[in-house]
Amino acid sequence: MWVQLGLVVVLVTVAVVTLVFQSRSAATQEAEHRTRAVAEAVAQAPGMMQALDGPDPTAVLQPRAEQIQRRADVDAVVVFSPQGIRYTHPDPKLIGKHVVGPYKQALTQGTFTRTFRASTGTTVISIAPVTRDNGTVAGLVSVGITVKRVQNTAWALLPLVLGGAAGALILSAGGTVLLARRLRRQTHGLGPAGMTRMYEHHDAVLHSVREGVLIMDADHRLLLANDEARRLLDLGPDAEGKQATDLRLDPPTVELLTSGRAVSDAVCPAGDRLLAINIRPTDVPDGPAGSVATLRDTTELRALAGRAEAAGERLRLLHDAGARVGTTLDVRRTAQEMTDVAVPGFADLVTLELADPVLRGDEPTALDGPLRRVAVSVAPPHGGRRTSTGASADEHAATERHTSGGHGDVASASAFSLTGDSPRQKADSCPTSFATDELVTYAPPTPQAQALKTREAVLAPVLTDTRACSEHSGQQAGHIHEPGLRSLITVPVRARGVVLGVANFWRSQESDPFDEDDLSLAGELIGRTGVCIDNARRFTHAHATAVTLQRSLLPEALPDQDAVDAAYRYLPAQAEEAEVGGDWFDVIPLPGARVALVVGDVVGHGLHAAATMGRLRTAVHNFSTLDLPPDELLSYLDELVTTIDESTGTARISGATCLYAVYDPTTGCCTMATKGHPGPALVRPDGTVSFPSIPVSPPLGLGGEPFETASLELLEGSRLVLFTDGLFTDRHRDIDTGLDQLRTALARLPGRTPDETCQGVLDAMLPAQPSDDVALLVARTRRLDTEHIAQWAVNRDPAEVARIRTEVTGRLTVWGLAELSFATELILSELVTNAIRYGTGPITVRLVRARSLICEVADGSSTAPHLRRAAATDEGGRGLYLVSQFAERWGTRYTKRGKTIWTEQSLTSGAPPLSDVTDEALLDQWDDSAW
């Protein structure tokens, strides 16, 4: 410590002495630099040339020269003419005198500096010319300073220098003491001998451990490598001192060693070894810049880890299959989900073929026919070589080379074609097209045929020697020698012991061939997929059954009638996994040329909804035969639904809705009532659209609310649009928005036919795949010609019967229906006689010529005639038999003021001959004398 302190004192003393001597030499140089700089600055100052060429240069320049002299701390600033006459001088007495000394050199050579001895001591002067724009010299500037003046400035700093030296001496002494103490602490009190022993022990340990150690500086230059590191990296004896890039290591290892970051257990190849490398920087506090790397040989451990990772990859693949396969109940979608899961994690190309009955929802009985390819997935180009673990092999490249000699880096999917044959295809090779919806026949001895026969998965690790091709589109089977295809696993798709199809997993030439572990994994994957496909098949079967049932319950065609021109559209739900609903519609002809328009909806989907819809539709048909008003018909229907709900227990159908409307073309009146169903839209002949107000009531089966009807007077050519809620509501729009869209769509279809209106509304309102059933019925109203309607009032006098017969015969003659006069007279005679005898007034008779001849007799009584057997001795009671014989149909319709007895006669067929109506036949009929 004392030696160090003495050295510091000597160094400080020498530094001070050197500074003194250097200050003398530096003073002269400082004087030269200062005078030259001031002279040139003054010569180039703005206005200098103008002052020299002015009438009195001294008056302008003398004050400036004195000011510059003081600020620049020089002895003299003299400005004089090219002839040497002074304009300025520190001594005003010398102004106008000639300059003493050399100055003419500045006129030709520019600024120069001279040093000479004077009475005041060593002096330095610099002379600079003031040059005009044309190059001539306007004057000269001379600046002088003594060296002594400059030295005085330097000596003024000497106490500061000495004080600094003293301070440095004190700090050095203190630092030496502190350093000695810290060194003592860091060496734990070890002296030189102890430090030597510690180094020897450290060296022995460093070179005997079975872990490589590399120490590098900040420039990645190798400073130290122990024996194990030399062995693992195959380093030569001259490795120390070389850059890491010059040690002939594998590029990944070099990149890691020169990365400059901390690394933990990174695996890098080193020849035929795999090394686990840890790197830590040494530029921690009090440490040198650089890094220390430790190396461990992990080749065997990595092989074990690879097998464990392969098992993990298989589990992850199965987990992905469980999460992604079977998300829908669509057979094709489920198959595609499986192929997507397996590519590229397990195979480069996956195809799945199923029997056609499976796609229809049926269970295949035999697989002796062609299969249909329903799903194909192919790995993208440059997807990374695939190993038996199912993962990309880039990170395991060294392990593959060490354990199995694998080769290649990237799998190419360009060897597979989804839309055409390979240009390299040979005559004896299979087509490379793997297009969906293609029929494929597998014939022995292909692996696929073997798998279908044995119901077991088949492994073909190498395809070059295996007949593993199928017949595509009628082409002959041959040896597979496809460019890019290397290995195949084919697995039958089974569920509940039934084979549904076959799945094929392919690997390319750049991937490792399949092994037994892959075979078991493929079997497990297809086992789960088979269950999902079978579930989707069964759903498809149930859906097809429900659709068949539903369509069988809906009208196949609209009946002929004279009241409206009607068209309809029925669209079952087409969204994914959507079931059939309970929407229905009907057009029901009613007596008197009237027609009933019906639309309804059953809440829910599936077979139950379809069956319920059939029951309600049948009930509406039955109730309509009673010719009930809309409110009464819905009342009966509501009571029926309530009864069904109470009798069936859990299978409730509450929530069904129905709209029932009756249109009379003779008056243009439309009467309607609704039970929980949205009202219709009305498009008038001028194109305006409205939604008539109909009294609101709850859905069918809830009861408790009275029914009300709404009556509309419709012009001829009006379009009445009836629909279910699937037309205007879905999860993305509310009721009001949907109705506004419907109003807009109908307004854009003026003057269209009912069929065109249906199509236009569906195009404007529905998405590509509606999520709910839609029933749409459009009816364009007609009005019967008043010339085809005749009506008479009847007095309660038996003589009126003859008058009515005469009037009717005359009208039929006018209508060209004279051949129907006899039968019509008989019918009206019976009905009018009964009305006069048993009914109450007022009595009216109406004759309507429509699709048939309609006769109506109305009176104020609510009692109706009915057939009963007449006794042999009865004189009457056989009139209704004559009515039933001469009319195609007859019945009773009740009104608010009584009833109407109606009959219909065909306009094309005449009345039955009177000879057919015998007494014996009359005796066998029921008596109609009681009302």
Side-chain angles (χ1 to χ4, degrees), residues 51-82:
L52 290 174
D53 293 337
D56 190 0
T58 300
V60 177
L61 298 178
Q62 178 65 19
R64 294 183 183 178
E66 294 175 353
Q67 185 179 13
I68 292 171
Q69 177 183 339
R70 290 192 302 271
R71 292 185 176 180
D73 194 17
V74 295
D75 291 330
V77 177
V78 180
V79 181
F80 53 90
S81 67

Side-chain angles (χ1 to χ4, degrees), residues 535-556:
N535 289 338
R537 179 197 65 79
R538 298 172 71 178
F539 171 80
T540 302
H541 179 76
H543 182 76
T545 302
V547 169
T548 302
L549 173 62
Q550 182 189 48
R551 292 194 177 278
S552 67
L553 296 175
L554 289 173
E556 296 182 0

